[in-house]
């Protein structure tokens, strides 16, 4: 009779825990990595931390998670010497159903207009919980989107995460923006506020009781007056662009907001022809000024370079007439 019976099923490679005390952090972390593979989401360090926080309510440190992964069979960390969360977890044997991780480029190629419109409408309404960590901002929104967008409920978490990242890119749909480092609907973002203020000539991030620079004459006079007070040869009459705003606060007790002058960042303001030919913006590498003109992408400094503003005039710009007190 024994020969007629079907063979017993093979034993699982890792037997399930018989009781809750058998569930260890190592097993939980390894399971989290495997579940991210199934969900087509690259198991980056911060994503694993966020997922574990949802599962067990504990925010493990990068050292703890990395230690657990190194103790788990069949899992490794790459690069092994990555600092803090600058690494990904890799399975030696991916799940059979795994076909790869989804990227933003994949989503741009696959997302049709109806799906894009539905996702955009959900994201534009907002309503997701506030992330407890800036590093988790994309993960929180993607998880929320999976719950509130019916047409996307069948999509993997990795695909939803890529949708959120695409929606937050400045060269993408512009559906999402940032405020205080977290994701918000674009209409509530700092970038949208700056765009509106640049068009209307209003200051940004200036309190009602704070003074700010109102006119080009005021801007030119304050900059030239400060730079002429620098000691040494005229070639040293310069200031790093990153220190310009703090200089206005400490020296002139007022805020400098580029949106007053129709710009969204300070570097573009300081390259505006209206500031005058005596002011020259240069990219400096170490102590040697670069002979190349500033790059077209003025939102980012060139690698290894710092922007400095130089004043080539010999006298301060003409005095300005202060605006009447409010």
């Amino acid at each position: 009779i024994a020969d007629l019976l079907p063979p017993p099923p093979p034993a699982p490679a890792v037997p399930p825990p018989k009781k809750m005390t058998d569930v260890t952090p190592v097993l939980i972390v390894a399971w989290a990595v495997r579940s991210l593979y199934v969900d087509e989401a690259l198991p980056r360090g911060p994503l694993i931390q966020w997922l574990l926080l949802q599962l067990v309510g504990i925010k493990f440190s990068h050292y703890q998670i990395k230690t657990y992964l190194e103790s788990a069979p069949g899992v490794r960390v790459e690069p092994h010497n990555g600092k803090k969360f600058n690494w990904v977890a890799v399975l030696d044997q991916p799940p059979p159903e795994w076909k790869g991780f989804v990227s933003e480029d994949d989503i741009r190629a696959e997302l049709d207009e109806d799906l894009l419109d539905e996702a955009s409408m959900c994201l534009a309404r907002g309503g997701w919980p506030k992330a407890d960590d800036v590093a988790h901002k994309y993960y929180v929104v993607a998880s929320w989107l999976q719950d509130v967008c019916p047409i996307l409920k069948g999509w993997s978490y990795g695909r939803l995460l890529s949708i959120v990242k695409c929606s937050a890119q400045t060269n993408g749909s512009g559906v999402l923006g940032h405020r205080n480092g977290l994701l918000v609907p674009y209409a509530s973002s700092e970038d949208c506020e700056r765009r509106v203020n640049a068009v209307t000539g209003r200051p940004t991030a200036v309190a009602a009781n704070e003074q700010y620079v109102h006119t080009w004459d005021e801007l030119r006079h304050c900059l030239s007056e400060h730079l002429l007070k620098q000691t040494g040869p005229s070639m040293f009459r310069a200031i790093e662009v990153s220190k310009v705003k703090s200089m206005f606060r400490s020296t002139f007790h007022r805020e400098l907001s580029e949106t007053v002058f129709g710009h969204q960042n300070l570097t573009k303001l300081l390259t505006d022809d209206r500031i005058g030919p005596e002011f020259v913006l240069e990219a400096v590498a170490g102590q040697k000024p670069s002979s190349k003109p500033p790059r077209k992408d003025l939102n980012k400094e060139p690698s290894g370079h710092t922007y400095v503003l130089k004043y080539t005039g010999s006298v301060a710009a003409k005095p300005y007439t202060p605006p009447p007190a409010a």
Side-chain angles (χ1 to χ4, degrees):
I1 297 177
D3 294 336
L4 300 177
L5 295 176
V14 179
K18 297 179 180 179
K19 50 186 177 180
M20 288 302 296
T21 54
D22 292 337
V23 179
T24 65
V26 172
L27 288 176
I28 294 174
V29 172
W31 179 90
V33 173
R34 186 178 180 86
S35 70
L36 290 173
Y37 263 75
V38 174
D39 253 331
E40 303 177 295
L42 184 65
R44 301 181 186 274
L47 178 54
I48 298 173
Q49 183 190 49
W50 173 81
L51 181 56
L52 292 173
L53 181 60
Q54 310 311 303
L55 292 172
V56 299
I58 300 174
K59 188 177 181 181
F60 293 103
S61 69
H62 64 91
Y63 176 78
Q64 289 174 308
I65 297 175
K66 197 172 182 181
T67 301
Y68 295 145
L69 287 172
E70 290 172 344
S71 301
V75 186
R76 66 183 186 275
V77 172
E78 292 184 356
H80 181 73
N81 59 349
K83 295 183 178 179
K84 294 190 176 181
F85 279 119
N86 293 324
W87 45 263
V88 298
V90 180
L91 293 177
D92 292 338
Q93 292 291 332
E97 64 271 31
W98 181 69
K99 297 180 180 179
F101 301 117
V102 177
S103 68
E104 287 91 291
D105 290 337
D106 295 329
I107 289 301
R108 292 190 189 98
E110 296 175 11
L111 204 61
D112 62 39
E113 189 172 342
D114 290 339
L115 287 173
L116 177 61
D117 290 344
E118 182 70 21
S120 298
M121 286 190 293
C122 289
L123 292 170
R125 287 195 295 266
W128 50 84
K130 184 178 180 180
D132 68 314
D133 190 320
V134 172
H136 300 165
K137 58 186 177 183
Y138 293 105
Y139 314 141
V140 170
V141 179
S143 178
W144 169 87
L145 185 63
Q146 197 168 34
D147 293 333
V148 302
C149 192
I151 198 171
L152 297 175
K153 281 191 175 181
W155 280 45
S156 69
Y157 180 78
R159 292 179 180 276
L160 293 171
L161 184 57
S162 293
I163 289 176
V164 172
K165 289 183 177 181
C166 287
S167 299
Q169 292 174 356
T170 55
N171 61 344
S173 60
V175 176
L176 296 175
H178 288 82
R179 182 165 290 277
N180 299 324
L182 299 177
L183 290 177
V184 295
Y186 184 77
S188 303
S189 69
E190 294 162 349
D191 183 62
C192 182
E193 180 184 4
R194 297 183 72 81
R195 285 176 180 269
V196 173
N197 287 345
V199 171
T200 58
R202 292 185 298 183
T204 302
V206 175
N209 61 342
E210 290 179 323
Q211 296 294 320
Y212 64 91
V213 181
H214 285 74
T215 66
W216 286 101
D217 284 344
E218 183 180 2
L219 174 61
R220 285 188 289 264
H221 180 79
C222 292
L223 283 173
S224 60
E225 183 181 86
H226 174 77
L227 293 174
L228 284 172
K229 291 179 181 178
Q230 307 303 306
T231 58
S234 60
M235 67 176 292
F236 292 103
R237 290 170 181 165
I239 183 173
E240 290 184 23
V241 171
S242 61
K243 298 179 180 179
V244 169
K245 289 191 175 184
S246 60
M247 180 274 291
F248 268 87
R249 295 188 195 103
S250 60
T251 305
F252 300 104
H253 309 292
R254 69 197 70 184
E255 297 291 323
L256 174 60
S257 176
E258 54 270 36
T259 55
V260 172
F261 301 92
H263 293 287
Q264 295 179 53
N265 69 63
L266 183 59
T267 309
K268 288 186 177 180
L269 167 63
L270 299 178
T271 55
D272 191 311
D273 292 340
R274 289 173 289 180
I275 200 171
E278 299 86 1
F279 295 96
V280 179
L281 191 70
E282 291 187 359
V284 176
Q287 299 298 322
K288 298 180 180 180
S290 170
S291 60
K292 297 180 181 180
R295 303 180 313 165
K296 292 183 179 180
D297 181 9
L298 297 177
N299 291 304
K300 297 180 180 179
E301 293 183 354
S303 177
H305 290 67
T306 300
Y307 279 131
V308 296
L309 181 70
K310 292 187 175 183
Y311 183 61
T312 61
S314 56
V315 296
K318 66 179 182 179
Y320 67 96
T321 303

